[in-house]
Amino acid sequence: PADVFNVVDIKQNGPFFKLIFSAVVGANSAYPEILPMSWLTPKGLKTIESEVDSCTAGGALFGLSAPANFSDYTNIPDPFDTPGAKAVHELVTLPQKGQSPTADMYVYHEYLDEIIPIAGTTTMVDAWCKAGTPVAYEKDLTGDHVAGTASGAPAAFLYLVGRFHGEHLVPPTAQTCNY
């Protein structure tokens, strides 16, 4: 997602909490200041132990789980409102201030994505377009997060094949800028 922290914030207390928790645990490997181990309750430590080598969000089917909140697993009210987390937020949020891709970009996102809201992607694309980056942005209604990946992959593949052949093969429904 373009704004990981926004996804974490809005998906707390929802059915995808375990999936989001697993993603934070993974990101914490690269950025341990997000969620220092000293902030975890015994429940938080136990949950992380179960997530470390998991690919299925604690065994939850499709990442679905009982609603929960990070404060249920930490001894501080909001681990994402700390200096360390705020510093990481700047590093992992797109678009990066004062930077935009120098290569043309193909971006696709499902309107009905139940895990990653489309708004962050649209904000990123708008910023890149304003910065002069050539962008083809396909917004689709063919599915949710998982089905959208499958239904969007053929167009993305064709786009890449076209780029390797010096062409711009963009779906006719894609919003484009700077081409």
Side-chain angles (χ1 to χ4, degrees), residues 102-162:
T102 55
D104 57 310
M105 303 297 293
Y106 179 79
V107 179
Y108 69 100
H109 203 123
E110 288 294 323
Y111 280 109
L112 304 177
D113 190 323
E114 75 286 13
I115 299 174
I116 311 296
I118 196 169
T121 304
T122 300
T123 299
M124 174 191 74
V125 167
D126 289 347
W128 286 351
C129 286
K130 286 178 188 168
T133 300
V135 179
Y137 183 24
E138 178 71 8
K139 295 179 272 188
D140 205 359
L141 282 167
T142 58
D144 57 15
H145 187 77
V146 175
T149 301
S151 65
F157 182 73
L158 285 174
Y159 176 82
L160 288 172
V161 169

Side-chain angles (χ1 to χ4, degrees), residues 11-26 43-44 46-51 54-70 73:
K11 293 303 174 182
Q12 290 194 72
N13 293 315
F16 295 100
F17 177 77
K18 275 283 194 126
L19 180 64
I20 300 303
F21 189 90
S22 296
V24 169
V25 169
K43 178 181 177 181
K46 182 178 178 185
T47 303
I48 282 185
E49 281 180 27
S50 72
E51 299 298 318
S54 175
C55 293
T56 60
L61 182 63
F62 302 115
L64 294 173
S65 61
N69 191 295
F70 275 92
Y73 297 86

